[in-house]
């Protein structure tokens, strides 16, 4: 039998660079591994969550232009675990021909909440009434007080550098808002003051978008934040189809305004005046972890597919109800906690390999099933067994 001689070499898989090496990078690397893709992460620290699963680990700061150039030279496409990055350095890499997805021109809306509010308002997207404080102390104070006269005690946000409730104060008095705003201004960041939205629920709409603008959307979820940090994500979480679809359509408009490539998460308020955009993430997001087991294609896999310009996967739900509960540290790890969590046989436990510190996000648990209340209580049982404090707002279920 004549065997045709192979003349071509094996085509090397694309090499994906990820700036940052936290849990999102870790789950991106897991999805990349299944597709046979090679990964390289830029980690600030040897112990970062993704360093044990990435193909190659480079150590460096996402704010250091040399470190960014190093990883860009070492990969085919550059993407992100978080947005605390040096945009100027990324823009210069892009202009030299490196493929950066999402592009720094899109990423700026996630890096800077003032830019985001202004860009979205200009595009006619529904955002809370806001004012940007970027003047001197006297002017800023006057502007904030005048704004509070119109909208009541505002919510204040550091324009840059915030995450997980750090950098946001839902103030209960004007003094509290002024103090927070002034201390951020003194540290050099602009501040956004905005009207407090009396929302019925917080939602998150998730999509993935290819470079040609093709998008796929997952089912809109209901999220619950405790002290500004996401505690649980319920799908569909009692959300009616028409609100869910409105949110998904709004997210597509947001994606077009941003020009995002990859996954986009849009945090929304479901308010009496309609859907209001809270903030966006141009990357996989905590509100989308349920898609790992709960959807035919996860947010991590579709992020990879989108940034590598590969066909996007089906986003349909695999069960009628899915709940994800975040696992937080208590500071005192419990002996045998994993075994106790796994006694709940439907719980899919994800631990990110991070050391236990009080309040630190250490992992998440997802449960799929037929009944929302049932999967939510199973997910909380497993998360509580792992040491997660059950907040009073959530209650013991
Ligand atoms: N304008 C607002 N009105 C009411 N609550 C708000 C407002 N902005 C933020 N919040 C509350 O604070 C939480 C954190 O704010 P967010 O802007 O999402 O910051 P982070 O980047 O920390 O997630 C939100 O999930 C919401 O619960
Ligand atoms: Mg948020």
């Amino acid at each position: 039998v004549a065997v045709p001689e192979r003349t071509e070499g094996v085509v090397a898989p694309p090499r994906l660079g990820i700036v940052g090496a936290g849990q999102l990078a870790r789950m991106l690397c897991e999805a990349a591994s299944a597709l046979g893709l090679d990964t390289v992460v830029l980690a600030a620290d040897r112990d970062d969550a993704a360093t044990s699963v990435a193909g190659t680990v480079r150590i460096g700061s996402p704010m250091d232009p040399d470190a960014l150039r190093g990883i860009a030279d070492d990969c085919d496409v550059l993407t992100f675990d978080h947005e605390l990055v040096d945009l100027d350095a990324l823009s210069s890499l892009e202009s030299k021909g490196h493929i950066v997805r999402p592009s720094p021109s899109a990423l700026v809306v996630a890096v800077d909440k003032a830019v985001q509010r202004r860009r979205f308002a200009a595009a006619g997207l529904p955002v809370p009434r806001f004012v940007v404080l970027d003047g001197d102390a006297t002017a800023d104070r006057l502007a904030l007080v005048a704004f509070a006269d119109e909208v009541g005690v505002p919510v204040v946000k550091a324009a840059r550098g915030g995450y997980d409730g750090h950098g946001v104060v839902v103030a209960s008095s004007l003094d509290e808002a002024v103090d927070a705003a002034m201390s951020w201004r003194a540290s050099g960041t602009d501040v956004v003051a905005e009207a407090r939205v009396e929302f019925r629920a917080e939602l998150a709409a998730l999509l993935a978008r290819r470079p040609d603008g093709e998008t796929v959307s997952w089912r809109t979820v209901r999220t619950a934040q405790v002290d500004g940090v996401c505690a649980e994500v319920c799908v569909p979480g009692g959300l009616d189809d028409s609100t869910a679809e409105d949110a998904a359509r709004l997210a597509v408009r947001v994606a077009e305004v941003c020009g995002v490539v990859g996954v986009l998460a849009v945090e929304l308020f479901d308010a009496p005046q309609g859907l209001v955009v809270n903030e966006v993430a141009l990357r996989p997001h905590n509100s989308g972890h349920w898609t790992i087991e709960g959807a035919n294609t996860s947010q991590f896999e579709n992020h990879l597919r989108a940034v590598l310009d590969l066909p996007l996967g089906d986003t349909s739900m695999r069960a009628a109800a899915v709940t994800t509960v975040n696992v937080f540290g208590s500071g005192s790890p419990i002996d045998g906690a994993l075994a106790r969590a796994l006694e709940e046989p439907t719980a899919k436990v994800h631990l990110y390999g991070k050391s236990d510190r009080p309040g630190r996000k250490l992992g998440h648990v997802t449960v799929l099933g037929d009944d929302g209340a049932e999967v939510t209580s199973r997910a909380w049982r497993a998360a509580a067994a792992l040491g997660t404090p059950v907040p009073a707002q959530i209650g013991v279920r």
Side-chain angles (χ1 to χ4, degrees):
V1 180
V3 179
E5 207 178 312
R6 276 189 72 117
T7 50
E8 291 163 38
V10 176
V11 178
R15 193 162 156 88
L16 183 77
I18 305 170
V19 177
Q23 62 261 22
L24 301 175
R26 181 180 171 107
M27 290 181 270
L28 277 172
C29 288
E30 289 167 351
S33 165
L35 287 176
L37 306 171
D38 201 8
T39 49
V40 45
V41 295
L42 180 64
D45 195 290
R46 277 271 159 226
D47 290 340
D48 286 353
T51 56
S52 57
V53 295
T56 304
V57 177
R58 305 176 66 96
I59 301 295
S61 163
M63 292 296 195
D64 173 10
D66 289 335
L68 291 170
R69 190 173 335 108
I71 187 172
D73 283 340
D74 194 16
C75 67
D76 300 304
V77 174
L78 199 57
T79 192
F80 305 91
D81 166 85
H82 61 73
E83 49 280 306
L84 305 173
V85 290
D86 182 335
L87 287 178
D88 292 336
L90 291 172
S91 300
S92 111
L93 289 171
E94 195 175 47
S95 66
K96 289 187 183 110
H98 290 283
I99 301 177
V100 182
R101 289 179 176 152
S103 157
S105 62
L107 209 51
V108 61
V109 302
V111 171
D112 190 314
K113 284 181 174 171
V115 173
Q116 183 186 127
R117 282 281 180 258
R118 285 178 169 139
R119 194 178 282 185
F120 289 2
L125 296 168
V127 294
R129 283 188 62 186
F130 71 98
V131 61
V132 175
L133 308 179
D134 57 2
D136 64 37
T138 314
D140 287 345
R141 190 181 296 266
L142 282 174
L144 189 52
V145 171
F147 184 64
D149 266 352
E150 289 175 45
V151 305
V153 175
V155 174
V156 287
K157 303 184 174 185
R160 287 179 178 244
Y163 67 98
D164 275 357
H166 303 286
V168 173
V169 171
V170 183
S172 43
S173 72
L174 180 56
D175 282 348
E176 193 188 349
V178 170
D179 287 350
M182 290 303 138
S183 81
W184 288 322
R185 290 293 297 121
S187 74
T189 172
D190 293 353
V191 168
V192 178
E194 61 187 39
R196 180 171 180 157
V197 177
E198 296 305 328
F199 53 79
R200 282 185 284 257
E202 290 192 72
L203 314 179
L206 190 74
L207 60 78
R209 186 168 184 265
R210 281 179 82 174
D212 68 358
E214 181 201 345
T215 60
V216 293
S217 301
W218 285 267
R219 170 78 195 201
T220 302
V221 306
R222 193 177 57 73
T223 64
Q225 274 59 234
V226 175
D227 298 331
V229 188
C230 179
E232 68 171 20
V233 175
C234 301
V235 207
L239 189 66
D240 62 277
D241 290 346
S242 104
T243 307
E245 282 157 21
D246 287 349
R249 269 193 294 276
L250 179 53
V252 172
R253 282 172 61 204
V254 173
E256 284 161 2
V257 169
C258 297
V260 67
V261 173
V263 162
L264 171 77
V266 183
E267 296 179 10
L268 298 158
F269 300 125
D270 182 9
Q273 66 266 42
L275 293 172
V276 177
V277 175
N278 175 26
E279 62 158 350
V280 297
L282 281 70
R283 52 164 167 76
H285 189 250
N286 197 170
S287 66
H289 293 353
W290 68 274
T291 61
I292 296 175
E293 291 90 6
N296 277 338
T297 311
S298 78
Q299 62 166 347
F300 299 101
E301 182 173 343
N302 265 347
H303 184 77
L304 299 174
R305 294 187 188 211
V307 301
L308 294 169
D309 201 14
L310 296 167
L312 300 174
D314 174 49
T315 55
S316 307
M317 287 179 75
R318 285 179 169 162
V322 184
T323 292
T324 292
V325 168
N326 281 329
V327 174
F328 291 97
S330 60
S332 48
I334 309 162
D335 241 10
L338 180 60
R340 285 211 294 123
L342 297 180
E343 275 169 21
E344 171 50 63
T346 60
K348 306 304 291 183
V349 172
H350 296 252
L351 293 172
Y352 309 145
K354 293 155 80 172
S355 57
D356 192 322
R357 285 206 297 265
R360 194 178 197 199
K361 203 183 288 174
L362 301 180
H364 71 266
V365 177
T366 297
V367 178
L368 277 62
D370 296 328
D371 178 69
E374 169 83 22
V375 297
T376 299
S377 77
R378 287 175 185 267
W380 273 105
R381 269 207 298 277
L386 290 163
T388 305
V390 181
Q393 294 95 312
I394 301 283
V396 182
R397 291 178 162 128

